[in-house]
Amino acid sequence: MSLLILGSIALDTVKTPVEEHTDLLGGSASYAAAAASYFSPVRLVGVVGSDFPQSEFDFWKSRKIDVEGVQRVHGKTFRWSGEYAWDMNTRETRSTELNVFEKFEPKLPDSYRKTDFALLANIAPALQSHVLEQMEKPRFVVADTMNLWIETTRKDLDALLPNVDLLILNDSEAREMTKEMSLIKAGRAIRKMGPRYVAIKKGEHGALLFGENEFFSCGAYPLEDIHDPTGAGDTFAGGMAGYLAGTVGGKVTFTNLRKAMIYGSVLASFCVEAFSLGKLRNLTNDQIDERYEAFKMMSQFEVGE
Ligand code: AMP
C-alpha cells in the first residue's frame, strides 16, 4: 500500500563541532520519504522554490517517490540552520527562513486522495488537518509534531489529534504537552487526547510505545560515530510509517507497531551516520535487515544458558 507524506522540504545548513555544510537537502518530508521508500511507494506533498536543485527530483525519482504533490513555486526554498554542541545531542537553531513555506497551501492531486496510509510529518498542524480533509478516509494516520506547534498553535494541534492513529513526539515535547514529568503518565495522557497509539522518542536512549493496554520500550541502535543527528526523528517516523504501509498493510496490530518501531530506529541510526541524507540515499534492504537482526539479538535477554 502507498504512503502519503506531507512535511517540510528544506535546504539546511548544519554545523557540528567538527564540520559545517551549507544548503543540504533537509526537511521533515525529505527525511521521512527517503526512509519510507525502502518499504512502500511514497506520495510526497510539499513545496520548493525556484532555487531547489533538479538533482533532488532525480533522486526522488530513483527512489520511486511520486512528486506530483510537490509544488514548485517562484521564490526561495524553506531554509533552516542549526548548530550542535560537543555532545551532539544539544542543538541550537541558528535561523529559520520560511520563504515559499509562508504561503504554502497543500492541494492534493486527485491520484493522492485515496492513499491508504498517511504520515503527517512535522509541519504546522493546520496544514496537517488541511491535507487530511482532502483524503478519502485513510486506514491509518501517523503524525509528528514539535515544541513550536505545542507552544504556538495548540488549538490546531488539539483539533488534529482525534484524527490521528499514531502520534510520534519526543520526550521533552510529551512533557510539555501534558505537564507530566513521568513519560509513562505523559504517554497515557496523550492517548486520551485522541491518538490510539503514542510513540515517545528519547534520542540516544530509545523509544516508548503506548497502546490501550499495551506498552513497549526499546533502546536505540548503539553507534560509535555520529556525524549529524538532524532529521533522525523524521527518519524514525518515515521508517515506522513506511514499514506499516508497505509490509503490514490493512491490519495494524501492536505486534506490527513494535516491529515498525525497530525499523524506524534502524533507519534513524543510518541517518545520523552522515550529514543530511548522505546514508539514506543508497541503502539496501539487506543492510536494513542486517541491522534489524542485530538489534533483535541485542535486545533479547533469554538466550541459552
Ligand atoms: P529534526 O532533527 O527531527 O528536528 O528535524 C530537522 C529538520 O526539520 C531539518 O531538516 C529542518 O529543515 C526541519 N525543520 C526545522 N524547523 C522546522 C519547522 N518549523 N517546520 C518544519 N520543518 C522544520
Side-chain angles (χ1 to χ4, degrees):
M1 283 181 191
S2 293
L3 171 68
L4 179 148
I5 298 183
L6 159 77
S8 59
I9 300 171
L11 293 175
D12 288 345
T13 294
V14 177
K15 188 174 189 299
T16 69
V18 282
E19 274 176 279
E20 177 164 4
H21 293 275
T22 307
D23 284 353
L24 300 165
L25 178 62
S28 57
S30 307
Y31 282 105
S37 71
Y38 288 96
F39 305 105
S40 71
V42 172
R43 294 171 172 167
L44 188 58
V45 184
V47 64
V48 299
S50 33
D51 57 349
F52 190 76
Q54 176 60 37
S55 56
E56 301 300 3
F57 279 92
D58 298 338
F59 159 63
W60 286 326
K61 202 172 161 197
S62 76
R63 297 273 347 128
K64 297 196 168 45
I65 295 170
D66 186 342
V67 293
E68 203 190 332
V70 178
Q71 299 172 22
R72 192 171 203 155
V73 301
H74 188 70
K76 280 176 80 181
T77 301
F78 171 63
R79 275 176 171 70
W80 173 84
S81 167
E83 180 170 355
Y84 290 88
W86 273 103
D87 64 2
M88 290 296 263
N89 229 344
T90 332
R91 179 175 81 189
E92 195 187 314
T93 292
R94 294 202 295 187
S95 64
T96 304
E97 291 172 40
L98 293 178
N99 302 330
V100 296
F101 217 33
E102 208 162 357
K103 293 202 173 123
F104 177 42
E105 263 190 49
K107 188 172 180 319
L108 292 194
D110 287 341
S111 59
Y112 278 31
R113 289 180 200 273
K114 261 195 170 157
T115 317
D116 284 305
F117 280 70
L119 168 56
L120 309 170
N122 179 29
I123 200 170
L127 295 181
Q128 293 175 314
S129 289
H130 185 58
V131 161
L132 213 46
E133 281 157 17
Q134 296 173 58
M135 295 183 74
E136 283 179 28
K137 215 172 165 14
R139 282 168 191 251
F140 200 83
V141 178
V142 183
D144 193 354
T145 194
M146 73 185 288
N147 55 352
L148 177 68
W149 314 124
I150 297 169
E151 287 156 21
T152 61
T153 56
R154 182 62 194 261
K155 270 195 183 152
D156 293 343
L157 182 58
D158 285 343
L160 171 78
L161 291 181
N163 302 315
V164 168
D165 294 288
L166 165 66
L167 182 72
I168 302 179
L169 70 180
N170 71 29
D171 43 6
S172 63
E173 291 156 359
R175 289 193 171 105
E176 189 171 356
M177 208 164 152
T178 58
K179 308 274 180 286
E180 293 283 3
M181 279 307 290
S182 151
L183 290 180
I184 306 300
K185 284 185 181 166
R188 290 194 182 129
I190 297 169
R191 279 198 69 256
K192 292 202 179 116
M193 297 174 191
R196 272 195 293 154
Y197 303 104
V198 174
I200 300 183
K201 298 165 290 175
K202 300 187 293 169
E204 61 183 328
H205 304 295
L208 306 174
L209 180 64
F210 300 81
E212 186 167 11
N213 293 309
E214 300 130 318
F215 175 75
F216 178 59
S217 166
C218 70
Y221 188 85
L223 290 172
E224 280 189 29
D225 287 315
I226 295 180
H227 288 271
D228 174 15
T230 309
D234 311 311
T235 304
F236 174 91
M240 243 189 125
Y243 175 80
L244 293 173
T247 316
V248 174
K251 195 166 156 258
V252 177
T253 62
F254 200 75
T255 307
N256 300 142
L257 282 161
R258 288 164 68 124
K259 287 188 201 163
M261 192 169 225
I262 302 299
Y263 274 109
S265 307
V266 165
L267 266 299
S269 75
F270 285 114
C271 168
V272 303
E273 283 183 318
F275 268 77
S276 177
L277 282 83
K279 266 276 176 95
L280 294 178
R281 287 176 193 266
N282 292 309
L283 287 172
T284 63
N285 280 83
D286 281 348
Q287 283 175 298
I288 295 170
D289 287 340
E290 209 174 288
R291 219 171 249 200
Y292 178 90
E293 287 304 319
F295 212 129
K296 202 154 97 181
M297 287 305 292
M298 277 185 284
S299 313
Q300 277 171 0
F301 57 90
E302 284 187 356
V303 279
E305 287 170 39

